[in-house]
Amino acid sequence: MARKLAVIGAGLMGSGIAQVSAQAGWDVVLRDVTDEALTRGTDGIKASYEKFVSKGKLAAEDAEAALGRITTTTDLDAVADADIVVEAVFEKLEVKHEIFRTLDKLVREDAVLASNTSAIPITKIAAVTERPERVVGAHFFSPVPMMQLCELVRGYKTSDETLARTREFAESVGKTCIVVNRDVAGFVTTRLISALVVEAAKLHESGVATAEDIDIACKLGFGHAMGPLATADLTGVDILLHATENIYTESQDEKFAPPELMRRMVDAGDIGRKSGQGFYKH
């Protein structure tokens, strides 16, 4: 199997995907629009490798070799010889459309175009390309080096070969895959966490129970590693609000209608760990 990967977007997700792929032996080109974003991304990768080395989970020479397999660029043309391209930019359809339109003109005919989207239907993203059969969802989880799951999403026209090659790639970088056979907004995982977070936020908003007690119920009652409201703080209340709104718009299913509390928190900037305040103080 050819081993050339291009990752579009050097944020938390993109740099994480680049990190695990380089460690698994892939040659990776990491692209973002500014040198600052690329420096932030590669600094994060270095720090993560160093942490693995200090814990004895990765040999220093392997970390160095993996870093050597990552090149960075602000030039989208650098994707031209990639076997697989993974897009990991902001969750906005217009932004993704712009990238996929350009990728369609730049990449090899046999390249796989994957999106790391967590909620936008793959069919919508693929529609702006001349090769919808080669577009697929490859939804990794944050933090990518720690989380074992990759959710593969079949768009309306995704071919079996595209799905198989994407699975091969995800498994080669150490992930376990689930397949979403019907391209519904939010797929499997985002629908499940969104429904849980929305209900937890409604229970909290209406004074039924505290955030802490709701999370304890999920941890001790259902064996969840982390409660839904703590998860919202970790992911970002703004990100989850955006995801639930996407799913609600597509499905018109009331269980995904985000409660007013989440909207007000986002308005106020209380978006979780990254702002120091969400459902909890951090």
Side-chain angles (χ1 to χ4, degrees):
M1 186 186 181
R3 315 278 291 186
K4 181 80 192 261
L5 173 74
V7 181
I8 312 300
L12 198 61
M13 295 304 297
S15 59
I17 295 164
Q19 177 182 328
V20 297
S21 302
Q23 195 178 327
W26 285 74
D27 288 321
V28 181
V29 58
L30 181 59
R31 188 265 180 185
D32 211 311
V33 284
T34 66
D35 288 325
E36 293 77 35
L38 290 167
T39 303
R40 267 198 310 276
T42 48
D43 284 351
I45 293 171
K46 280 178 199 157
S48 185
Y49 280 153
E50 279 163 16
K51 200 178 279 184
F52 282 122
V53 170
S54 71
K55 288 181 174 173
K57 291 182 177 174
L58 183 64
E61 58 271 26
D62 290 343
E64 206 170 308
L67 271 175
R69 283 191 282 271
I70 300 172
T71 52
T72 59
T73 183
T74 54
D75 184 3
L76 203 52
D77 291 359
V79 305
D81 61 344
D83 303 291
I84 293 186
V85 182
V86 179
E87 164 276 311
V89 303
F90 187 65
E91 281 287 85
K92 219 178 175 61
L93 186 60
E94 305 80 78
V95 181
K96 293 186 188 293
H97 271 173
E98 195 181 321
I99 284 168
F100 274 81
R101 264 193 209 100
T102 313
L103 289 175
D104 195 31
K105 296 183 181 78
L106 294 174
V107 300
R108 295 197 324 244
E109 205 177 298
D110 64 340
V112 168
L113 297 178
S115 175
N116 180 57
T117 181
S118 58
I120 299 171
I122 297 303
T123 309
K124 280 192 170 182
I125 295 171
V128 298
T129 75
E130 298 292 319
R131 56 176 101 200
E133 69 286 350
R134 296 204 169 272
V135 180
V136 65
H139 175 211
F140 289 82
F141 289 75
S142 184
V144 181
M146 308 300 291
M147 298 291 274
Q148 217 189 329
L149 185 66
C150 183
E151 187 175 33
L152 302 178
V153 186
R154 192 192 275 279
Y156 189 66
K157 293 194 169 177
T158 305
S159 71
D160 291 346
E161 188 218 351
T162 298
L163 193 75
R165 282 179 60 195
T166 312
R167 179 192 278 272
E168 207 175 323
F169 156 64
E171 288 177 348
S172 80
V173 304
K175 303 304 170 198
T176 299
C177 299
I178 66 160
V179 176
V180 180
N181 284 309
R182 202 160 63 79
D183 187 18
V184 295
F187 318 137
V188 170
T189 57
T190 305
R191 279 178 97 92
L192 288 171
I193 190 61
S194 294
L196 192 56
V197 167
V198 163
E199 189 55 40
K202 284 176 181 169
L203 289 168
H204 177 47
E205 178 182 53
S206 56
V208 172
T210 63
E212 290 85 351
D213 281 358
I214 292 165
D215 280 351
I216 288 169
C218 288
K219 287 198 319 194
L220 301 187
F222 309 139
H224 292 183
M226 185 185 269
L229 300 177
T231 301
D233 275 9
L234 177 65
T235 306
V237 180
D238 53 335
I239 306 254
L240 270 170
L241 176 66
H242 194 62
T244 54
E245 284 176 332
N246 267 343
I247 299 169
Y248 178 61
T249 304
E250 281 278 324
S251 66
Q252 292 300 299
D253 187 331
E254 283 301 321
K255 72 170 166 285
F256 296 111
E260 219 164 86
L261 173 65
M262 285 175 74
R263 296 185 193 281
R264 292 302 159 262
M265 286 170 74
V266 172
D267 291 342
D270 287 355
I271 53 176
R273 287 194 191 187
K274 54 191 169 186
S275 70
Q277 178 70 53
F279 288 101
Y280 297 89
K281 194 162 184 55
H282 298 281

